[in-house]
Amino acid sequence: MFPSFLLPQASRLTCGGTSLAVALLITATPLSPTQAQTGQGVIRISGSSTVFPITQEAIRAFRKTAPGRNVRFELQETGTSAGFRDFCSGKVPIANASRPISSKELKACEAKGVKFIELPIAFDALTVAVHPKNTWASQITVKELNTLWNRQATGRVKRWKQVNSAWPDRPIKLCGAGSDSGTFDYFNKAITGDAENSRSDYTASEDDNVLVRCVANDPNALGYFGFDYYLANQNKLRSLAIVGRKGATRPSVEAVQKERYTPLSRPLFIYINNANMLSRPEVQKFVTFFVRRGPQIVKAADFIPLPDSTYLLVESKLYRHVLGTSFGGDLPIGLTIGQALDRSFDQLKQPRPR
């Protein structure tokens, strides 16, 4: 049974109407040598660099409340895959993720007896960006991105003209997510058809700030990273419109929420270790605060919030203590945001055991 502070206003919701490594240590009091070594009393969070700013904002807001004033956090920006390795080995109670958990990671969690709650918290628009001095490219097709980024392009497709004959015969510098990043998996699955089908000769990093600098410092560069990092650096970058099923569309809050930005829009998640959720009051209080204040936190972090009604469903999923993933280890590409959210709450529609 959850303590009273976990009882959300959404607890009476029914689901029939669902339409749906860099570390930051934030602490109020100094850690003792024993605590610093063992992590006792610290909420450790690792994973996606894309989700990092959202969780960072949640921590800042939580620390302003009475329950959060003396809670210590260690927030690491390691990439989704590395975060799941920490999470499934029991090293961290919370993982940030820019994609759903994979079948391999599910098996790793099962092997260690780690049960979890999967909570969608925001949307992202993976942004393809160039230097402001790039005067030739205003949009790019999925086919052109595939030509540029698939494994066969390694060492072969090295100039802008090879991607589009109307573009100049200039070298192209590529900047993209490292293989431990959920952004790497999602981008490749969406563009090349396989999460591992990527060229290898590019500047790679799990830190989106590195990728921003990579593009901002070279007029011949092209890179991809989370929407928040683009928004924070618009004076140094220019986004390209993606030509998808619904025409050429630039990334924006409206384009994602109206399901026009395809196929590079995606839901973002946090994963909560069930044992820690039940046994550690500070984890319970932080996660409950995060979900209840979701719209404000996500907006403050310059991300794309879920609909308000959806945060009530997230809260209901937390309150009802629904374990496991709705995605079965699959990386869903091509779903509309509505379909992805509906799938996120499939477990809520299942009858609860009596």
Side-chain angles (χ1 to χ4, degrees):
M1 194 73 178
F2 275 29
S4 60
F5 60 75
L6 275 179
L7 298 180
Q9 295 176 355
S11 61
R12 295 185 297 277
L13 269 178
T14 61
C15 302
T18 305
S19 60
L20 314 175
V22 176
L24 173 66
L25 182 64
I26 305 175
T27 178
T29 56
L31 297 178
S32 70
T34 300
Q35 288 174 324
Q37 289 175 4
T38 65
Q40 180 184 359
V42 179
I43 299 180
R44 287 180 165 167
I45 307 171
S46 68
S48 169
S49 63
T50 302
V51 182
F52 179 93
I54 303 175
T55 303
Q56 185 179 41
E57 180 60 34
I59 291 170
R60 285 173 178 163
F62 181 62
R63 289 289 315 288
K64 294 177 181 178
T65 69
R69 191 164 296 128
N70 293 314
V71 177
R72 295 179 288 270
F73 292 86
E74 186 180 287
L75 177 59
Q76 294 182 312
E77 190 174 7
T78 61
T80 296
S81 297
F84 275 130
R85 286 197 294 272
D86 288 342
F87 184 74
C88 291
S89 65
K91 293 179 180 177
V92 298
I94 301 174
N96 294 328
S98 60
R99 57 162 174 78
I101 191 169
S102 71
S103 56
K104 181 179 178 181
E105 290 155 351
L106 278 172
K107 291 177 182 176
C109 277
E110 185 177 354
K112 291 290 188 177
V114 174
K115 296 181 180 180
F116 59 83
I117 303 172
E118 173 187 77
L119 301 175
I121 55 166
F123 294 139
D124 186 31
L126 274 183
T127 300
V128 178
V130 295
H131 193 281
K133 290 185 178 179
N134 180 319
T135 59
W136 55 90
S138 60
Q139 63 184 44
I140 192 165
T141 68
V142 172
K143 184 178 179 180
E144 288 167 344
L145 284 170
N146 178 47
T147 297
L148 187 58
W149 283 99
N150 77 82
R151 187 180 293 113
Q152 286 69 38
T154 302
R156 296 177 56 233
V157 180
K158 300 187 289 185
R159 306 187 75 80
W160 282 93
K161 192 174 183 66
Q162 291 175 277
V163 182
N164 185 318
S165 60
W167 291 342
D169 188 19
R170 299 179 63 159
I172 186 167
K173 179 179 178 61
L174 294 176
C175 318
S179 59
D180 260 352
S181 170
T183 298
F184 174 90
D185 299 330
Y186 195 94
F187 180 85
N188 289 321
K189 183 77 179 289
I191 298 303
T192 69
D194 185 332
E196 297 181 0
N197 182 8
S198 171
R199 67 187 301 159
S200 56
D201 55 341
Y202 67 97
T203 297
S205 179
E206 283 76 21
D207 184 348
D208 288 24
N209 289 301
V210 172
L211 304 180
V212 166
R213 290 194 295 270
C214 179
V215 177
N217 291 337
D218 192 330
N220 290 314
L222 176 145
Y224 68 89
F225 33 78
F227 183 59
D228 171 66
Y229 290 87
Y230 165 70
L231 284 182
N233 296 278
Q234 289 184 78
N235 59 326
K236 307 173 186 176
L237 306 167
R238 183 166 58 79
S239 67
L240 296 185
I242 305 299
V243 183
R245 296 191 308 270
K246 299 187 178 182
T249 307
R250 292 188 184 278
S252 69
V253 172
E254 181 182 18
V256 171
Q257 290 180 335
K258 293 190 175 181
E259 302 183 343
R260 296 199 305 264
Y261 190 68
T262 58
L264 294 180
S265 60
R266 56 178 178 168
L268 304 174
F269 303 86
I270 56 172
Y271 285 74
I272 317 301
N273 181 296
N274 178 58
N276 280 263
M277 188 71 182
L278 292 174
S279 65
R280 298 181 61 182
E282 71 274 24
V283 173
Q284 296 170 347
K285 291 175 182 178
F286 172 64
V287 174
T288 303
F289 174 87
F290 196 159
V291 171
R292 286 182 175 175
R293 294 284 299 275
Q296 300 96 313
I297 289 168
V298 171
K299 288 176 184 176
D302 285 330
F303 275 78
I304 304 168
L306 309 175
D308 288 345
S309 59
T310 302
Y311 283 107
L312 293 179
L313 286 171
V314 176
E315 199 171 347
S316 182
K317 189 174 184 179
L318 177 64
Y319 167 66
R320 290 180 56 182
H321 205 57
V322 180
L323 301 179
T325 177
S326 290
F327 295 88
D330 182 35
L331 182 59
I333 302 293
L335 298 180
T336 66
I337 289 298
Q339 289 169 333
L341 285 177
D342 191 54
R343 187 164 170 181
S344 291
F345 297 104
D346 278 348
Q347 296 150 300
L348 272 177
K349 304 172 191 174
Q350 299 170 4
R352 300 180 69 188
R354 295 182 180 276

